[in-house]
Amino acid sequence: MTPGVILTMAFDQPQGIESYNGYIDYIGRAEAAVVSYTGYQDYMDNPEKSQGLFSADKLSLSPEEKRWFKELFQTAQDNGSLLWRPIISFDNKWLAENGLYDAETNTVDRNRLAEYTQKAMSRMLKKEGLDSSAIWIAAVHNNTDNIHIHVAIAEPNPQRKSMIVDGQRQFRGKFKNSSLGAAKAAIVNSVLQQSKENQMINNIVRGRIIQGKKGRMLSSDPEFSRAFLSLLAELPPDRRLWHYNMNAMEPYRPMLNNLSSLYIQRYHKEDYLQLQALIQQQEAKYSRAYGQGKKVKNNFAKNKEADLYSRLGNQILKEMSNYQQEKEEAQKKTMRMLRRSRRKLEKAEQSLSQHLQVNRAVLISSMEKLRYALDDEYSSFKNLILYEQEQVQEETFFLPER
């Protein structure tokens, strides 16, 4: 199977170039040697082959901007910069399958390919550490059997790491395979992200399954509450760590994935079956784009499955965080009520104590008065008894004799 996209890379040393000022007319001879950096720019901009130059931030360049780039490329050559020459080739049938090429009219969607190239170069240069020092221009060519894009990259003020080759110091020319792979992936993803299948996949994952979870609380669902609370009890106390892809969540992901699987089977079984079918279709398209071979890895289905469980896991963790926060706030509210009740009780006890102290003083005073009154009454009674006894004795003493 022919890959939909192929990315190759070549580079030139400035000392191997004869002329710095001449313009090159390749006349479609892509295999010809590069004579000057500015000449390569002219080749890419040849109207018989290309649809005009573009750059990192412009889909088309004005004559003034082209002259400005020529000056920068000449400066780069004078300062000893390498000239990197990536070529992005497409299988025309693959472009047609994805709505980027019309074979009957030999028309290519040049602007979309330019936008995808901008993404690819940005990612590749960043991985190579050239994103702040390199400049580049490119052009889409449709003069051969395969539509392709020529790119020219250079550093006006070279910052590239150097090495010693044959006793001479040279800037490192070779790009890492991972950098080239990142550029190719950016183009493939940009093309396939526009497909109907990918849009349907995103709608099922985000619009149905994830959105459905937002409106369904597992903590109050009888079928999930036990598993929900069991996982919640295992999580670390710091809720800032409760994000699916954080390292701190690694021990809990199996339980979280199990909860997600139960949720999908219970509420989104049909959606999930449709999702799997679409993923298989889209994975076949990625295989078509990258080609097949031992070195080609197609992880589209695996990545989509991981994305689903990551998004769903984060929704469950978010519910757990809200649940725990509400629980803690309820506990704090209860404690505040208990403290207020305790303060009220303490005030009541203090008031009662004060009241009892006052009443005790009144009682003691009343008892004292009563005691005094009783003492007086007792003294009066005692005196009365003594007086009456004296009177009886006196009457007895003065009785007449018989």
Side-chain angles (χ1 to χ4, degrees):
M1 180 185 295
T2 303
V5 184
I6 297 175
L7 173 60
T8 60
M9 172 69 80
F11 64 90
D12 296 291
Q13 298 285 350
Q15 60 269 24
I17 297 176
E18 298 176 359
S19 171
Y20 288 83
N21 301 314
Y23 295 152
I24 300 301
D25 184 3
Y26 269 118
I27 315 298
R29 293 190 303 117
E31 72 280 2
V34 175
V35 177
S36 72
Y37 289 10
T38 54
Y40 191 62
Q41 178 176 336
D42 289 334
Y43 162 70
M44 291 191 300
D45 197 28
N46 189 324
E48 295 180 5
K49 307 176 183 67
S50 80
Q51 300 182 27
L53 294 173
F54 62 93
S55 66
D57 56 358
K58 294 288 183 68
L59 290 179
S60 62
L61 300 182
S62 67
E64 292 78 11
E65 289 168 333
K66 291 177 184 178
R67 284 193 292 271
W68 180 74
F69 269 105
K70 281 188 177 182
E71 292 176 1
L72 287 178
F73 272 89
Q74 187 62 60
T75 299
Q77 184 175 12
D78 293 342
N79 290 336
S81 170
L82 300 177
L83 176 67
W84 289 277
R85 297 185 289 116
I87 299 177
I88 306 167
S89 300
F90 300 97
D91 177 18
N92 291 0
K93 291 182 179 179
W94 183 76
L95 290 179
E97 290 168 5
N98 290 281
L100 293 168
Y101 176 65
D102 186 344
E104 292 184 4
T105 60
N106 193 29
T107 302
V108 62
D109 193 335
R110 179 261 186 195
N111 283 351
R112 281 173 65 186
L113 289 183
E115 290 174 356
Y116 301 160
T117 304
Q118 288 174 335
K119 294 179 181 179
M121 292 302 103
S122 175
R123 186 172 298 182
M124 183 177 70
L125 293 178
K126 185 174 182 179
K127 289 183 73 67
E128 286 293 322
L130 294 171
D131 50 321
S132 61
S133 61
I135 59 169
W136 65 268
I137 53 175
V140 178
H141 284 203
N142 59 351
N143 63 308
T144 64
D145 292 339
N146 294 99
I147 294 167
H148 56 282
I149 301 172
H150 284 279
V151 185
I153 306 170
E155 292 182 288
N157 296 297
Q159 304 295 318
R160 184 73 164 172
K161 291 182 179 180
S162 61
M163 58 184 181
I164 303 299
V165 179
D166 296 331
Q168 295 184 348
R169 184 170 295 278
Q170 297 180 356
F171 292 113
R172 187 178 298 276
K174 188 176 181 180
F175 277 23
K176 299 186 294 289
N177 287 334
S178 60
S179 300
L180 301 177
K184 183 175 179 179
I187 294 173
V188 172
N189 290 335
S190 295
V191 173
L192 297 185
Q193 285 294 336
Q194 306 299 318
S195 70
K196 179 180 178 181
E197 288 82 3
N198 239 23
Q199 294 173 8
M200 293 176 67
I201 288 171
N202 290 335
N203 179 58
I204 293 174
V205 172
R206 302 174 191 179
R208 298 186 200 173
I209 298 178
I210 302 303
Q211 197 64 35
K213 169 62 191 73
K214 291 180 180 180
R216 194 180 300 277
M217 297 295 102
L218 301 187
S219 57
S220 57
D221 191 317
E223 295 188 36
F224 295 94
S225 58
R226 178 175 296 180
F228 180 94
L229 295 175
S230 296
L231 175 57
L232 178 61
E234 296 290 332
L235 293 177
D238 188 353
R239 292 200 300 274
R240 292 174 297 182
L241 301 176
W242 294 8
H243 296 281
Y244 184 88
N245 290 315
M246 290 191 73
N247 292 335
M249 286 293 104
E250 185 175 358
Y252 314 104
R253 283 193 201 119
M255 293 178 66
L256 196 54
N257 290 344
N258 182 60
L259 194 56
S260 295
S261 296
L262 292 174
Y263 170 80
I264 291 171
Q265 290 300 314
R266 175 66 179 82
Y267 294 111
H268 295 280
K269 188 173 183 179
E270 294 300 322
D271 289 334
Y272 187 72
L273 291 174
Q274 184 181 359
L275 176 64
Q276 290 299 305
L278 288 169
I279 286 176
Q280 293 303 317
Q281 294 176 25
Q282 196 70 347
E283 186 171 53
K285 286 192 173 184
Y286 273 88
S287 295
R288 171 78 171 87
Y290 285 103
Q292 295 179 339
K294 293 182 179 180
K295 295 183 178 180
V296 179
K297 293 183 179 180
N298 188 351
N299 295 323
F300 180 79
K302 181 180 178 181
N303 292 339
K304 282 298 178 182
E305 187 85 0
D307 177 67
L308 170 62
Y309 276 83
S310 174
R311 291 177 183 275
L312 192 52
N314 277 327
Q315 285 298 317
I316 294 173
L317 288 170
K318 183 178 181 180
E319 181 186 348
M320 288 184 172
S321 179
N322 292 337
Y323 179 90
Q324 187 67 16
Q325 183 176 358
E326 291 174 1
K327 180 181 176 181
E328 291 175 1
E329 289 177 353
Q331 290 175 342
K332 290 178 181 179
K333 184 178 180 180
T334 301
M335 291 303 297
R336 287 195 297 269
M337 293 176 62
L338 287 174
R339 284 195 291 269
R340 285 197 295 267
S341 299
R342 184 174 297 172
R343 286 195 294 269
K344 289 181 179 179
L345 179 60
E346 289 174 353
K347 288 181 179 180
E349 289 176 346
Q350 185 179 8
S351 176
L352 178 61
S353 177
Q354 292 174 352
H355 180 71
L356 289 175
Q357 288 177 1
V358 171
N359 288 345
R360 184 170 181 274
V362 172
L363 179 61
I364 292 172
S365 176
S366 298
M367 292 295 293
E368 288 293 322
K369 290 179 181 180
L370 178 61
R371 186 170 64 81
Y372 289 140
L374 289 175
D375 286 347
D376 289 344
E377 186 69 22
Y378 176 75
S379 297
S380 298
F381 180 74
K382 181 179 178 182
N383 292 333
L384 178 61
I385 296 298
L386 291 174
Y387 174 77
E388 289 179 349
Q389 287 178 349
E390 289 177 356
Q391 290 295 319
V392 170
Q393 290 176 358
E394 288 180 358
E395 289 179 356
T396 304
F397 183 79
F398 290 106
L399 283 176
E401 296 181 357
R402 294 182 175 179

